[in-house]
Amino acid sequence: MNVLGPVDDIPLGEGRSYTVDGEMIAVFRLRDGSLRAVSAVCPHLGGPLADGQIDNRVVVCPLHLNAWDLTTGCSKSGQPPISVYPVREDHGRILLGE
Amino acid sequence: MTQKLVVIGNGMAGARTVEEILARNGDYAVTMFGDEPYGNYNRIMLSNLLAGVETEDGIFLNDLAWYRENGITLNTGTRIERIDASARTVYDAEGNGTRYDKLIIATGSHAWVPPIKGIHRPGRGYHQGVFAFRTLDDTRGMIRYARDHERAVVIGGGLLGLEAARGLQSHVSHVTLLHAMGHLMNTQLDERAGEMLKGSVENKLGIDVIVNAMTSEILGKDRVTGVKLGDGTVIECDVVVVAAGIRPNTAMAADSGLSVERGIVVDDQMRVAGHEDVYAVGECAQHRGDLYGLVAPLWDQAKVLADHITGTTGVAYEGSRVSTKLKVAGIDVASMGLREPETDEDEVIVYNEPRKGIYKQLIIRDNVLVGATLVGDNRKAAALIQAFDRGLPLPDERAELIFDIGGAVEESPADMPDDVQVCNCNGVSKGAICGVVTGGCKTVSGVMDATRAGKGCGTCKPLVQRIVEWANGGEAEEDPAASWYVPGVPMPKPELMIAIRKYRLTSVSSVFEKLVPGGTHDAKSKMGLASLLKMMWADEYVDERDARFINDRVHANIQRDGTFSVVPQMKGGVTTPGQLRKIAEVAEKYDVPMVKLTGGQRIDLLGVPKEKLPAMWADLDMPSGYAYAKSFRTVKTCVGSDFCRFGVGDSTALGIALEERYQGLEGPGKMKLAVSGCPRNCAESYVKDVGVVAIDGGKWEIYVGGAAGAHIRKGDLLTTVSSADEVITLTGRFLQYYRENANWLERTYSFVPRIGVDRIREIVVDDADGIALALDAAVQQAVQAYRDPWKERSDPATPGQFRTSLPLTVLPQVPVRG
Ligand code: SRM
Ligand SMILES: Cc1cc2nc3c(=O)[nH]c(=O)nc-3n(C[C@H](O)[C@H](O)[C@H](O)COP(=O)(O)OP(=O)(O)OC[C@H]3O[C@@H](n4cnc5c(N)ncnc54)[C@H](O)[C@@H]3O)c2cc1C
Ligand code: SF4
Ligand code: FES
């Protein structure tokens, strides 16, 4: 279990990336207030997913606009899947891991 | 045991026959040879490709994966030179032999090129600038060459020639069509119909047509410079396209000892005369004395051959009734069967309205349609083609056949057998369409994409629509996204704007919550909505940062490695030594990997990490050049009257004034402008969203809707004015009209032709709608709301706005140029 920092560090509807155990993880704060964490590197050509746009279901990579489901990690456009990690908010902090 | 099936020719007939055999689970190991280097594409769509209304991706029917998945060995770029029927072996040019148990020849046709002096270069094929129109390679070559040239001549006034001429108009400014016979499309049309067509082609399309034109010589030493006609007339041109007819590819079969007359002679099972296991289909086959040059017959042939070769007995091909339609937008021509009556008993029905270029003729024998010609109005084409194809009994009220007067001859889809072919271009049956609908695709456009029905000449679209509706229990589902402003909010732009005003929706999330059923947000719609709301509400707009694309969040353009580019404003492309020095110092201080002059007359600092952007902007202390947003970008200028000896207007000053006023203005698409000091047009004003050209007498011409990016279009002259102030006002008014009315991502090069420049002039220049003042006020409000976004450097809009998102993992590296 890792504490990544205050939840307010991530504006509503945006994402920020964090380094956890040498791995880059993009954490998104959905407009419904919940959090999602996925691998930060786009499997297509390495785009920074934390810079992508999201809604309450998917993230769209900023480079070539492929999309992935934030909950399952499955691609909506025929790309390989991304990893998803358990993440939640606890007293205003972002907790990553089970 | 699995037998070996070899197919020579990987075109429309060859591939279709194999598809039909697979559909019947034929037990064959299939090997195909095609001398084109591709999978199978839809040749008839080359016309649409040339005209720019279809893409290369869109015309492929079977890609290489399809062959792989079906276990077919495809040899592309391989020409078969000889068949040894006694040894059951075919040989390619290298002498490699391939054995077969069954052989299908589907070699199609080639373009026939009349013997015209100068058309060939000895040993080098066609003269430079001369093209045939048969293959994808022909079409690519033609597009590439025509783009850089101005005047084209098409030889041949049949279907192919007309489609070539129309397509070339997308690439060159002037097209002349030469036809050796007395009237256009003489194979399909009688003289009167041909005359009518000529009038439409000349007046509506602006193509010059010369009939009875015998081309005697192609002029030009290194490349084409003109063509000479039999009567001595010379037509200057730099592109020549030959569409004079086709000849079946039969030489290889003839050399191999097969029975060849005009085509390869086949019987009713498509068997080559005298050879039990050799078949021919498509344009190369001659059946009961007939050769065909259209796709519908080859769909029929492919079915019969597939049935026969997979063991169904008693099948026979009995010939096809052919109908054609010209695939030229705006010029309706359809024809089927007889061109003229053959006996006194034939009943002829004619309607002729010369003023509108409408001509309709039907020929009826024993109450069955045996011929029809439609020029200028194709609305009855689909119904007539069906009546003709299937020999349906005709209504007593003959007028119903030519006009829509209530009494429908249109058969209801319920009564149509499943195997009736609905789309003759792509060979799609009613059953196939219903299958897709049952499979869950319930929109007309979705079904068209899935089956390709309706995507050839388009005649059958209404019928496809009716079948989809019927199969779906009465109504097709509307194609959602087609007319919507953004995919996630189910409304076209005008409706959306009314709803936004009505509910005072000033933020993107409020639009989703109020206007989308279930309140579902949609990532891909956010950027378009943000742009629209900002335009509508100016400073009342509630700016939710997540609605912005990354570029608009950090005011820089993201690069392939996740870094950004910094393009400072340089109004009108004018700079100073001080500014250059500052840019140079910043570039050095921040180790900028590449400093580049852009195509927009300013300097790009590329490869800057996100976290360094604010500090760089502070050091530069120049405003943003907006090289990232869907917004007003640049005004390119030339030196103009201050320095240039030809300049008749101060283009530099006007360009700077325009940029100063409209900088940062956001819209549905990019807005790029230019001002040139004289008609030599060094700032390329004719190909800008708004282009201004100084002309003698202190006047300025304003062009709108020009482009020279992915699309090339010369702008339309909006008006000519006598002062720089008027240019500034009209530019703002036009841009505001565009901002309010264009679809998301619709550049002016699509918007202006969609609305029509005459209509735009009425509104923007003549104020016919009385909205000019409102447009001026709206753009003034937007101008006042402008704030240089690079000022956010000292006051970030969100936490971590400039924090890196760059992974530790190495991204694709962009080379550093010293
Ligand atoms: C930098 C520059 C190339 C250069 O090195 O010269 C450039 C670079 C890009 N162009 Fe461009 N275009 C540049 C001038 C042009 C021009 C010429 C001009 O502006 O006079 C055109 C043709 C005019 C036009 O827009 O029609 C041009 C037509 C395009 C297009 C095609 C637009 C179209 O609909 O035809 C795109 C793609 C798009 O917009 O979707 C594009 C897209 C791009 C993007 C933004 C691609 C992207 O999304 O990353 C490139 C951004 C690189 C960056 O970060 O700076 N760029 N691009 C030029 C910047 C000019 C400037 O100072 O603002
Ligand atoms: C621009 C254009 C527009 C058209 N529009 C229409 C239309 O609207 N409606 C319509 O019905 N028809 C239209 N046609 C005609 C239609 O495309 C043809 O009737 C159809 O393609 C014929 O199919 P095919 O298989 O017989 O020949 P093709 O499609 O020409 O296929 C034959 C293939 O065999 C290859 N080949 C030839 N010899 C050999 C060899 N020895 N070894 C290996 N490969 C060989 C050729 O390279 C070619 O790829 C159009 C044609 C063109 C060019
Ligand atoms: S032409 Fe293509 S590669 Fe070059 S800058 Fe423009 S978008 Fe990028
Ligand atoms: S790098 Fe993410 S879509 Fe291409």
Side-chain angles (χ1 to χ4, degrees), chain B residues 509-649:
Chain B
S509 58
S510 68
V511 172
F512 289 131
E513 265 134 43
K514 186 78 194 174
L515 302 182
V516 182
T520 316
H521 290 222
D522 176 50
K524 293 198 172 172
S525 302
K526 287 178 163 186
M527 198 181 167
L529 290 174
S531 157
L532 181 65
L533 293 175
K534 186 159 185 197
M535 188 269 294
M536 291 176 66
W537 297 114
D539 44 9
E540 284 176 79
Y541 166 60
V542 178
D543 180 12
E544 294 167 337
R545 286 288 165 138
D546 64 302
R548 300 181 176 206
F549 184 59
I550 184 65
N551 291 0
D552 301 309
R553 287 186 207 163
V554 302
H555 321 299
N557 197 309
I558 193 164
Q559 308 292 305
R560 59 188 300 233
D561 62 352
T563 62
F564 291 83
S565 66
V566 173
V567 184
Q569 187 181 60
M570 207 169 259
K571 290 181 202 129
V574 177
T575 183
T576 60
Q579 212 175 41
L580 291 173
R581 205 171 293 124
K582 210 184 289 171
I583 293 174
E585 277 161 10
V586 169
E588 264 176 6
K589 174 167 169 193
Y590 293 87
D591 256 341
V592 170
M594 176 148 89
V595 181
K596 184 178 179 305
L597 301 184
T598 71
Q601 297 190 343
R602 52 230 188 128
I603 295 178
D604 197 349
L605 305 172
L606 294 124
V608 180
K610 201 203 285 173
E611 60 276 21
K612 288 198 191 163
L613 291 171
M616 265 183 77
W617 297 336
D619 285 345
L620 278 169
D621 197 26
M622 293 168 65
S624 166
Y626 275 91
Y628 40 85
K630 298 297 169 211
S631 69
F632 186 96
R633 293 292 185 88
T634 52
V635 184
K636 301 218 293 195
T637 70
C638 69
V639 287
S641 53
D642 266 5
F643 288 92
C644 177
R645 65 199 156 110
F646 294 119
V648 294

Side-chain angles (χ1 to χ4, degrees), chain A residues 8-9 11-14 16-19 24 31 41 45-46 48 50-55 57 60 62-63 65, chain B residues 521-524 526 544-550 553 559-560 610 798-800 803-808 811-812:
Chain A
D8 292 340
D9 273 0
L12 269 186
E14 292 193 37
R16 293 288 181 262
S17 46
Y18 296 85
T19 318
M24 293 292 291
R31 278 210 158 256
V41 188
L45 288 170
D51 282 345
Q53 283 191 286
I54 60 164
D55 50 35
R57 293 160 299 161
V60 181
L63 291 195
L65 309 185
Chain B
H521 290 222
D522 176 50
K524 293 198 172 172
K526 287 178 163 186
E544 294 167 337
R545 286 288 165 138
D546 64 302
R548 300 181 176 206
F549 184 59
I550 184 65
R553 287 186 207 163
Q559 308 292 305
R560 59 188 300 233
K610 201 203 285 173
T798 57
R803 206 168 94 192
T804 183
S805 294
L806 275 186
L808 296 176
L811 286 168

Side-chain angles (χ1 to χ4, degrees), chain B residues 153-171:
Chain B
V153 162
V154 175
I155 300 176
L159 278 167
L160 197 61
L162 281 159
E163 292 179 10
R166 179 51 176 179
L168 284 165
Q169 282 192 304
S170 315
H171 308 283

Side-chain angles (χ1 to χ4, degrees), chain A residues 41-49 60-68 77 79, chain B residues 560 812:
Chain A
V41 188
C42 175
H44 176 226
L45 288 170
L49 289 179
V60 181
C61 175
L63 291 195
H64 310 104
L65 309 185
N66 284 302
W68 284 266
S77 47
Q79 294 293 321
Chain B
R560 59 188 300 233

Side-chain angles (χ1 to χ4, degrees), chain B residues 226-285:
Chain B
V227 299
K228 191 169 180 181
L229 303 187
D231 65 4
T233 317
V234 169
I235 302 164
E236 280 179 28
C237 66
D238 35 34
V239 183
V240 171
V241 172
V242 186
I246 54 170
R247 293 290 180 272
N249 289 323
T250 54
M252 185 268 299
D255 292 347
S256 307
L258 301 186
S259 160
V260 171
E261 290 170 9
R262 284 185 305 141
I264 304 171
V265 182
V266 297
D267 65 15
D268 288 356
Q269 282 73 43
M270 309 312 294
R271 205 171 5 219
V272 175
H275 291 270
E276 198 47 44
D277 295 315
V278 182
Y279 302 86
V281 278
E283 284 184 350
C284 64

Side-chain angles (χ1 to χ4, degrees), chain B residues 35-52:
Chain B
D35 69 356
E36 292 186 73
Y38 312 102
N40 171 40
Y41 59 88
N42 196 341
R43 195 173 305 284
I44 76 176
M45 302 292 255
L46 293 177
S47 304
N48 295 0
L49 182 66
L50 180 66

